[in-house]
């Protein structure tokens, strides 16, 4: 039986994985967050992996405060670079697989067509730079691993995300300004969790070392269109006013158009990619 370590398990993706894995019972799962296993502590990572005979790691832990990382990049470096490096080096020592999660923010978003895995990263923010450095740390370790880049994650199990914020504003305000010149793919963390669990049993057949795959829900929209859809699905009488990014300045620059091409993950692993609108209409009932 597999012994799977899920780090950052109290976050959006980790919580969705727990919900799915708890229904299965075909593996032993160890759900850890900062309190149980701080991934920035190399000794603790090694002790946990050897102490629990871990056979696979899914790293959902991350520092995701994109604007916060501009003011102080130290925690982002620790959690997004040192953490994955510790997990990857331990995975290499034990000959076990690591699934690591990264982001569309490794791209500058200047392309108007979906990004392939082979496209050159060029992050605009400290957050993006630390996530890219985390990918490189995983690759450099030489461990059995895949890296999945995703985008605009939300989950009703998450404490803070765009959907939750829009529902709150929609209930409190008559109108809300939302940027209309940033395009991406809203992704229900449940869909990504399902994709990961679909991939997991296929990993043993083929050794992969830091191979990158893209996964987001299908289709794309602007932040304003995403907000508008949320208001409509919740029947909230709040007008979404489209505004340019220039009128809503943030400390971190964000990619204007970071849509991921999912052909590779579909072809290699047979992953199904649902449409973002369909997934949102399922998820919204659970918020
Ligand atoms: N959210 C997005 O829109 C988005 C977009 C693209 C890619 N991603 C990537 O997708 C993955 C999953 O994201 P998510 O939205 O599920 O993240 P999340 O909800 O922020 O969860 C991350 C979890 O990691 C925990 N954590 C922080 N530092 C840790 C440490 N040193 N050791 C162990 N756990 C630690 C966090 O705890 P605290 O809450 O206490 O800090 C949190 O529970 C991440 O790699 C993220 O970068 C996310």
């Amino acid at each position: 039986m597999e012994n799977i370590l899920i780090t950052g398990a109290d976050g959006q993706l980790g919580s969705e994985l727990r919900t799915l894995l708890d229904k299965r019972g075909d593996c032993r799962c160890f759900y850890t967050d900062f309190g149980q296993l701080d991934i920035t502590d190399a000794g603790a990572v090694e002790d946990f992996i050897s102490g629990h005979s871990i056979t696979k790691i899914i790293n959902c832990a991350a520092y995701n405060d994109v604007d916060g990382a501009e003011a102080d990049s130290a925690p982002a470096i620790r959690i997004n670079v040192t953490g994955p490096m510790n997990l990857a080096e331990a995975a290499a020592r034990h000959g076990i697989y690591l699934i690591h999660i990264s982001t569309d923010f490794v791209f500058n978003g200047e392309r108007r067509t979906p990004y392939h895995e082979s496209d050159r990263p060029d992050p605009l923010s400290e957050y993006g730079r630390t996530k890219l450095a985390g990918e490189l740390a995983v690759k450099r370790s030489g461990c059995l691993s895949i890296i999945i880049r995703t985008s605009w994650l939300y989950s009703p199990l998450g404490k803070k995300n765009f959907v939750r914020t829009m529902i709150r504003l929609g209930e409190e305000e008559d109108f809300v300004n939302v940027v209309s010149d940033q395009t991406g793919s809203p992704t229900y963390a449940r869909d990504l969790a399902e994709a990961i669990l679909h991939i997991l049993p296929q990993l043993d057949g083929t050794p992969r070392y830091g191979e990158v795959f893209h996964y987001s829900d299908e289709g794309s929209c602007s932040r304003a269109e995403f907000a508008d859809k949320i208001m409509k699905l919740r029947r909230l009488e709040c007008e979404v006013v489209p505004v340019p990014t220039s009128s809503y300045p943030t400390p971190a620059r964000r990619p204007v158009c970071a849509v991921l091409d999912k052909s590779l993950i579909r072809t290699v692993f047979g992953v199904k990619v649902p449409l973002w609108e369909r997934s949102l209409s399922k998820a919204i009932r659970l918020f």
Side-chain angles (χ1 to χ4, degrees):
M1 200 188 243
E2 293 261 37
N3 288 336
I4 304 177
L5 167 61
I6 293 111
T7 57
D10 294 344
Q12 306 197 87
L13 178 60
S15 300
E16 294 289 357
L17 278 166
R18 186 195 293 246
T19 305
L20 295 176
L21 282 162
D22 279 353
K23 289 187 196 144
R24 293 171 37 147
D26 56 351
C27 54
R28 256 187 303 269
C29 296
F30 297 87
Y31 303 102
T32 62
D33 207 272
F34 180 75
Q36 300 77 42
L37 177 60
D38 175 0
I39 63 165
T40 68
D41 181 340
V45 166
E46 172 56 35
D47 288 350
F48 197 99
I49 288 170
S50 43
H52 296 86
S53 307
I54 296 300
T55 56
K56 283 196 177 70
I57 307 168
I58 307 174
N59 180 29
C60 305
Y63 180 93
N64 284 326
D65 182 351
V66 177
D67 290 319
E70 294 297 308
D72 178 10
S73 60
I77 293 169
R78 274 199 311 277
I79 299 165
N80 294 344
V81 188
T82 310
M85 182 183 78
N86 292 340
L87 294 169
E89 289 182 352
R93 281 193 297 277
H94 291 267
I96 62 175
Y97 247 107
L98 167 66
I99 299 183
H100 176 63
I101 314 299
S102 191
T103 173
D104 55 341
F105 276 34
V106 298
F107 295 116
N108 63 23
E110 286 170 11
R111 261 183 73 153
R112 292 294 178 268
T113 51
Y115 280 96
H116 289 270
E117 288 79 354
S118 55
D119 286 327
R120 196 175 66 84
D122 177 25
L124 301 174
S125 61
E126 279 302 310
Y127 167 74
R129 280 188 279 279
T130 61
K131 291 296 288 185
L132 180 60
E135 292 184 8
L136 295 177
V138 170
K139 287 182 186 170
R140 261 193 226 112
S141 74
C143 74
L144 288 162
S145 51
I146 60 165
I147 296 164
I148 304 178
R149 292 187 186 132
T150 191
S151 68
W152 292 17
L153 271 192
Y154 66 86
S155 160
L157 304 176
K159 289 164 257 179
K160 205 176 150 222
N161 55 54
F162 187 81
V163 180
R164 195 172 288 295
T165 304
M166 286 303 131
I167 292 173
R168 180 177 54 75
L169 291 173
E171 286 167 350
E172 291 170 359
E173 310 291 341
D174 295 330
F175 72 93
V176 57
N177 293 336
V178 185
V179 296
S180 57
D181 52 3
Q182 288 173 24
T183 300
S185 304
T187 302
Y188 184 12
R190 169 72 59 99
D191 295 337
L192 174 56
E194 275 172 0
I196 291 170
L197 297 188
H198 181 80
I199 290 169
L200 210 58
Q202 302 180 52
L203 291 176
D204 291 327
T206 318
R208 299 178 193 278
Y209 301 95
E211 249 177 83
V212 176
F213 294 89
H214 287 173
Y215 181 89
S216 66
D217 283 343
E218 197 54 89
S220 62
C221 61
S222 69
R223 288 267 178 204
E225 288 165 336
F226 187 17
D228 195 54
K229 188 79 184 169
I230 294 164
M231 299 304 172
K232 289 204 167 79
L233 287 168
R234 289 291 284 214
R235 298 182 203 287
L236 293 166
E237 310 245 323
C238 173
E239 188 192 350
V240 175
V241 180
V243 295
T245 299
S246 55
S247 72
Y248 188 73
T250 52
R253 283 178 67 204
R254 287 159 168 77
V256 167
C257 182
V259 178
L260 302 173
D261 183 292
K262 276 83 65 180
S263 328
L264 191 65
I265 203 164
R266 278 196 176 102
T267 312
V268 172
F269 295 115
V271 165
K272 293 204 171 60
V273 185
L275 281 169
W276 75 265
E277 291 105 319
R278 187 171 298 180
S279 290
L280 179 63
S281 62
K282 273 197 253 167
I284 203 109
R285 292 193 283 266
L286 306 172
F287 273 86

